[in-house]
Amino acid sequence: MFTMKVDLTTGIVDITVSGLWTVDEIGVFARALESAARQVAASGKSHLMLCDFTEVAIQPQEVAAALHRMAIASRGRARKCALYTKGVLARLQAKRLAQANDHLAVFADRDSARAWLLDDSQPKRPADHIYAALVQPIARHAISQPSIEAAA
């Protein structure tokens, strides 16, 4: 599920994503996004995407792969796209999506994401500060696997 609002003053397409998606829903999302991008373009701006992933579920591999393909191949690609979520696993999944897209960055909160979008002095994503912030806590709190012993 998603909602999408267009702010013609800033050129921001504000998207809230929730739940578990299917590959079919990505097509619906892509068409809605193309429509929003056309609206912004008609105002003389190139669109920016602000994506709230706070309520999104961890997506199945085929959905994540389809989103990745869409982000790379999108005809109406945003000048910049900022994703934000507090969930560690959702941020890791979003970060994988961002790796192949230098116009896409992942943030822990809406204010930081929006500030980066509107800062024209930072045309590309910031340094991998989010990745380091995510991986270090996970490494420190690694869950040990139970040992399995063969019965004699």
Side-chain angles (χ1 to χ4, degrees), residues 13-143:
V13 179
D14 195 339
I15 302 165
T16 301
V17 179
S18 62
L20 197 60
W21 283 28
T22 65
V23 174
D24 291 339
E25 287 172 302
I26 293 170
V28 173
F29 175 76
R31 288 187 293 280
L33 185 55
E34 286 177 23
S35 176
R38 282 193 301 274
Q39 279 184 283
V40 174
S43 74
K45 295 179 176 66
S46 56
H47 74 288
L48 304 164
M49 289 173 54
L50 180 61
C51 304
D52 178 357
F53 275 42
T54 305
E55 298 295 323
V56 75
I58 300 304
Q59 299 301 312
Q61 189 60 37
E62 65 273 6
V63 170
L67 282 169
H68 188 262
R69 286 190 302 274
M70 184 188 89
I72 291 172
S74 179
R75 287 177 290 162
R77 188 170 101 164
R79 183 166 41 99
K80 288 165 69 174
C81 177
L83 307 167
Y84 66 95
T85 183
K86 293 188 186 307
V88 172
L89 293 177
R91 274 192 295 189
L92 284 172
Q93 195 167 52
K95 187 65 178 173
R96 281 193 294 277
L97 179 64
Q99 285 176 339
N101 300 285
D102 64 1
H103 73 291
L104 197 154
V106 181
F107 298 87
D109 64 89
R110 180 181 177 83
D111 291 340
S112 299
R114 193 171 193 282
W116 176 74
L117 280 179
L118 296 174
D119 184 353
D120 288 332
S121 70
Q122 294 186 35
K124 305 253 186 216
R125 75 169 168 253
D128 265 356
H129 67 283
I130 292 294
Y131 185 73
L134 289 173
V135 172
Q136 291 168 354
I138 291 171
R140 276 195 305 255
H141 300 291
I143 299 170

